[in-house]
Amino acid sequence: MPRPAPRPESLAERPLPLFAADEASAVAAIPPGTLPSYLRDHRRRLRSRFLEGGAAAMPDYELLELILFGAIPRADVKPLARALMDRFGGLAGVITAPPGQLLQIEGVGETVLTALKLAEAVALRLTRARVLNRPVISSWEALLDYCHTAMAHREVEQARILYLDRKNCLIADEETGQGTVDHVPLYPREVLKRALELQASALILVHNHPSGDPTPSAQDIALTEKIRQGAEALSLTLHDHLVIGKEREFSFRAEGLL
């Protein structure tokens, strides 16, 4: 008879129109090819400030406006930017918000959604590039930036494993699953099996807490110890387990739990 699967542990081509329906309503009152002078001036000022001073010269809602300019070229995007910031709590929350929730905001259609998700993808690619194939231990801040970008604003728990080679360079970053608001399934045996397949020498566990508080649960601690023991038996090193909150992270290594 086949062996039952192990129970998971858990850690507590038609062309599109230029505008989607909601976005079209936002520009319907403005004749094609025209833009009021005050909007032209506003957009010009924001672009100039960004090009001259960079992102540091601008608050988050103005950076969001710049993203929206390309998606909605003939309307005042400030109200939409404000509505998005209010709903999702900040620029990072807007960019990483689930598509279904973004589409619930009046004025957000496929064009705006694409612009926001593109910004998220670019940010993730950039932060990941700073750690891929580089010694993780000496690039720790870059690794934390990547983990926060990828996971801090998720609304459900997500677990990922970072596999390292003998020089502690990142050779694989794999998401093992997504769960609910307070737990995610994780199979220790599968994590260690994958490490052997990749010929990894070490690994780092990472998961997020959608509540924002990265304090690990008793279940988190017990599961980490189980994986540590299994890794040790296979001559693998568990460098750390990072729990990512919205504003900060919890490191098992730094807190003496590894």
Side-chain angles (χ1 to χ4, degrees):
M1 293 180 63
R3 298 176 63 183
R7 296 181 60 187
E9 304 280 352
S10 71
L11 293 166
E13 275 263 50
R14 293 174 61 185
L16 292 172
L18 178 61
F19 299 104
D22 288 343
E23 293 153 352
S25 66
V27 300
I30 301 177
T34 67
L35 191 68
S37 60
Y38 75 93
L39 288 182
R40 289 198 305 270
D41 292 342
H42 175 64
R43 291 185 176 212
R44 188 181 302 114
R45 285 194 299 271
L46 287 193
R47 290 188 179 110
S48 295
R49 283 171 50 204
F50 178 74
L51 292 175
E52 293 170 5
M58 310 181 73
D60 283 357
Y61 76 88
E62 289 185 341
L63 290 177
L64 181 55
E65 283 190 67
L66 284 171
I67 295 172
L68 296 174
F69 284 170
I72 307 179
R74 292 191 294 110
D76 183 2
V77 299
K78 185 180 294 185
L80 177 56
R82 290 286 192 181
L84 287 166
M85 294 285 285
D86 290 344
R87 169 62 179 83
F88 297 106
L91 180 60
V94 174
I95 297 300
T96 59
Q101 293 187 19
L102 287 167
L103 290 170
Q104 293 174 7
I105 305 298
E106 184 177 357
V108 176
E110 289 185 356
T111 309
V112 167
L113 179 63
T114 299
L116 295 174
K117 292 293 104 180
L118 177 60
E120 179 187 20
V122 169
L124 190 57
R125 290 280 181 94
L126 287 173
T127 55
R128 189 171 186 268
R130 294 175 59 199
V131 297
L132 190 62
N133 296 320
R134 299 183 182 182
V136 167
I137 304 305
S138 60
S139 306
W140 197 249
E141 289 302 317
L143 175 67
L144 294 179
D145 286 345
Y146 169 62
C147 292
H148 277 278
T149 300
M151 305 174 72
H153 296 276
R154 303 298 176 189
E155 295 196 342
V156 297
E157 282 204 14
Q158 177 190 71
R160 64 195 321 123
I161 313 298
L162 309 180
Y163 295 98
L164 313 177
D165 64 14
R166 292 178 182 176
K167 296 182 179 179
N168 286 323
C169 290
L170 182 64
I171 57 174
D173 163 23
E174 298 188 354
E175 183 179 329
T176 64
Q178 295 198 43
T180 66
V181 295
D182 59 2
H183 78 278
V184 63
L186 188 66
Y187 300 84
R189 186 175 67 179
E190 294 302 317
V191 170
L192 298 173
K193 176 183 175 183
R194 183 59 176 155
L196 295 176
E197 291 173 348
L198 292 168
Q199 297 184 339
S201 294
L203 60 155
I204 298 173
L205 309 177
V206 191
H207 84 282
N208 65 311
H209 279 181
S211 68
D213 180 3
T215 304
S217 66
Q219 195 171 31
D220 293 340
I221 295 171
L223 180 57
T224 303
E225 178 60 18
K226 181 178 293 187
I227 293 177
R228 186 198 67 77
Q229 291 177 1
E232 187 176 75
L234 296 172
S235 299
L236 299 171
T237 300
L238 177 58
H239 277 311
D240 209 340
H241 182 172
L242 299 172
V243 186
I244 306 298
K246 284 187 169 58
E247 303 296 335
R248 61 187 180 89
E249 72 283 339
F250 183 100
S251 163
F252 274 59
R253 176 73 61 184
E255 298 297 329
L257 296 179
L258 270 177

